[in-house]
Amino acid sequence: MASHLHGPCDRGEVQAAPRPETGLSPTRKRWVLAATVLGSSLTFIDGSALGVALPSIQRDLQAGTAAVQWVSNAYLLTLGALVLIGGAAGDRFGRRRVFLIGVVVFALASAACGLAPTVELLIAGRALQGLGAALLTPGALAVIGASFPPEERGRAFGTWAGAGALFGMVGPLIGGWLADHADWRLIFWINLPLAVLTVIVTWRVVPESRDETAKGLDGLGAVLAMAGLAGVTWALTVAPDLGWRDLRVLAAGVGGMALMAGFVIAEAQQRHPMMPLGLFRSPVFSGVNLLTLLLYFALSGAMFFLPFDLIRVQGFSATLAGAAMLPFAVVMGLFSGLAGRLADRFGARLSLGLGPILAGLGLALLAWPAPGAGYVDGPLAGMTVLAIGMTLAVGPLTAAVMGAVEPGHAGVASGVNNAVARVAGLLAVALLGVVLSAVFVSGTGDPQARALLGEVMAGGADLPPEAIDAFHAAFRAVMLACAAGAVLAGVIGALTAPGPARPSPTP
């Protein structure tokens, strides 16, 4: 589910855009905003709907545990590694052009996913979807920034984000209903008519814009980041099957870390790096990005594994599992503005300290219900507390990130923070999959426990009760690890985030 959330600093990317050179009529600006909402709906609906359908996908495609992790990871890998270069490409080659290319690529990838006869081809399609999203998402924000003057951007972004919250509410319900009553493949086919409508509206009403001072793209950095993350993630997901001493696992893990080190070296030497390392000289910027990494690690990992427990252990239908996500979207959609005003009054430190700790409490509550719990005595309390914590934390992140750097670097700083959030989701699914497997294997003592774990997640028939209990224990360990990560994020926020602004002394 977390893959559908807009980045924590999307507002910052919009606000940091230069003032448009030419003004548009109010009617045309409304149509421009409609085009960005339609395009972004592809990622919002697809991401939120797919989470609750993963158990059905695993069952229908007879996918193993590592393979179903890669259905999520392939998307997060290409999105996280390429989202920064996607934003830079829009500035250089035209924001409307890159936005349209992203929409078309995402739509074609969705068709490939809908037709995929095997999990391997589905994973390839999901990687291509991530590429499309890496162009589409920053493209939509760039179009808003290039079309609205600074005094109108807050309202325009609020409309765009509100639409995202709405799609976040209906997406899990759509995905669950399709998984229960129709075919999960329709989740991908929904994207095609939306994409066609987006292309038509964008082509007719969105003016082209670019930054004439934009420099070259950091292709080397993008390749090193994607290859390094791929190596580390692949090693983590297959190690429970192949063993940690397997030469392929060791080569992928060590090679991936070496490539990530190469990425850092390259960014220090590039003339126009996609992630300027100088930004991290600011203790506030470094601290808030570490907070983002831990908080979105916790959120993404929890939302990936939660549907499996709700459906396989608690006995929820996919539709009811989707409904369990509703408090999250409702609370964030209704109270984000209030959370922002509280942060303005009391400072980001309070919100970035308290919010993640509350989110950690919510995650711990999600681990609490025993097998067979219902909706009210099951996920409701945990999901609500998690939503309150995330609502308190996400809004102030933008102000903290943008305030930690010079005004001219606010846009790239916001982009870096968004990329950190996406990479956190990638690492969460891989690392927490190791935790899930280790606890499950320890709890069963079965020499074929890894294969049995795949059967439990896929909903195999005639599973022994001991296997279900072992999965629930493993799920609880994962959720408590997520809770610990969120609480640690809160501690870092309390130590590094800026406090309330001091009033200027009167002359």
Side-chain angles (χ1 to χ4, degrees):
M1 175 189 168
S3 65
H4 84 279
L5 293 173
H6 60 74
C9 273
D10 284 347
R11 182 184 292 272
E13 294 193 54
V14 173
Q15 295 287 11
R19 178 177 286 273
E21 296 181 3
T22 58
L24 302 178
S25 68
T27 299
R28 192 169 182 187
K29 282 187 283 192
R30 284 194 291 269
W31 278 105
V32 168
L33 187 57
T36 62
V37 168
L38 281 170
S40 301
S41 70
L42 299 174
T43 59
F44 283 128
I45 294 176
D46 184 278
S48 61
L50 192 64
V52 293
L54 280 175
S56 296
I57 293 172
Q58 183 176 10
R59 180 191 65 236
D60 291 351
L61 296 183
Q62 298 180 341
T65 305
V68 77
Q69 288 176 263
W70 271 102
V71 173
S72 174
N73 280 347
Y75 177 87
L76 293 170
L77 172 64
T78 49
L79 173 59
L82 302 178
V83 68
L84 285 174
I85 203 169
D91 291 339
R92 184 175 184 188
F93 299 114
R95 299 177 179 104
R96 184 183 76 161
R97 176 183 298 174
V98 170
F99 175 67
L100 283 172
I101 292 173
V103 170
V104 172
V105 170
F106 197 93
L108 293 175
S110 298
C113 291
L115 294 170
T118 65
V119 70
E120 291 80 10
L121 290 175
L122 177 60
I123 290 169
R126 288 284 288 162
L128 191 59
Q129 274 192 319
L131 171 60
L135 300 175
L136 186 165
T137 302
L141 298 172
V143 166
I144 293 174
S147 302
F148 290 83
E151 62 272 15
E152 297 179 13
R153 287 174 184 163
R155 180 178 296 179
F157 177 82
T159 301
W160 180 86
L166 177 62
F167 295 136
M169 283 188 273
V170 302
L173 294 176
I174 292 173
W177 188 89
L178 291 174
D180 282 336
H181 304 290
D183 189 341
W184 56 263
R185 296 177 185 274
L186 292 175
I187 294 172
F188 298 107
W189 290 112
I190 291 172
N191 293 329
L192 269 64
L194 289 173
V196 170
L197 187 57
T198 301
V199 169
I200 293 172
V201 174
T202 302
W203 190 265
R204 290 178 63 88
V205 304
V206 176
E208 185 59 281
S209 64
R210 56 174 52 86
D211 182 358
E212 300 299 337
T213 65
K215 307 299 182 181
L217 301 180
D218 185 9
L220 176 61
V223 170
L224 287 173
M226 187 163 61
L229 287 169
V232 172
T233 306
W234 186 84
L236 289 171
T237 52
V238 302
D241 290 318
L242 300 179
W244 290 99
R245 297 182 179 180
D246 186 275
L247 290 179
R248 291 166 291 181
V249 173
L250 293 173
V254 174
M257 288 187 287
L259 288 169
M260 291 303 298
F263 168 75
V264 174
I265 294 171
E267 294 305 280
Q269 298 177 348
Q270 288 280 90
R271 291 182 59 189
H272 308 293
M274 67 181 192
M275 191 179 74
L277 299 182
L279 296 175
F280 291 92
R281 295 193 185 101
S282 164
V284 173
F285 184 79
S286 298
V288 171
N289 275 282
L290 181 57
L291 180 156
T292 301
L293 182 72
L294 290 168
L295 183 58
Y296 275 76
F297 177 97
L299 177 66
S300 301
M303 293 303 101
F304 178 85
F305 291 103
L306 179 61
F308 289 97
D309 189 75
L310 292 178
I311 294 171
R312 303 303 182 215
V313 177
Q314 308 296 352
F316 283 32
S317 66
T319 306
L320 186 56
M325 312 294 180
L326 279 176
F328 189 94
V330 171
V331 171
M332 289 203 70
L334 292 179
F335 298 107
S336 291
L338 175 60
R341 290 192 293 273
L342 288 174
D344 291 340
R345 181 174 180 180
F346 298 106
R349 182 177 300 164
L350 177 63
S351 296
L352 293 179
L354 179 61
I357 291 173
L358 281 176
L361 175 60
L363 292 168
L365 288 173
L366 286 172
W368 184 262
Y375 178 72
V376 174
D377 59 341
L380 178 60
M383 192 63 70
T384 302
V385 175
L386 171 63
I388 293 171
M390 289 299 300
T391 302
L392 283 173
V394 169
L397 273 175
T398 301
V401 168
M402 295 182 70
V405 299
E406 295 296 325
H409 295 150
V412 67
S414 299
V416 168
N417 188 257
N418 281 340
V420 167
R422 266 89 187 208
V423 171
L426 170 70
L427 296 176
V429 175
L431 277 170
L432 294 172
V434 174
V435 174
L436 185 85
S437 179
V439 177
F440 181 86
V441 171
S442 176
T444 59
D446 189 327
Q448 302 298 322
R450 179 67 176 174
L452 183 60
L453 173 60
E455 292 182 31
V456 173
M457 294 177 68
D462 300 324
L463 291 170
E466 295 81 7
I468 301 297
D469 291 340
F471 178 81
H472 188 57
F475 167 76
R476 281 179 162 172
V478 165
M479 298 303 288
L480 292 176
C482 292
V487 170
L488 181 57
V491 173
I492 292 171
L495 293 175
T496 63
R502 296 180 180 178
S504 302
T506 55

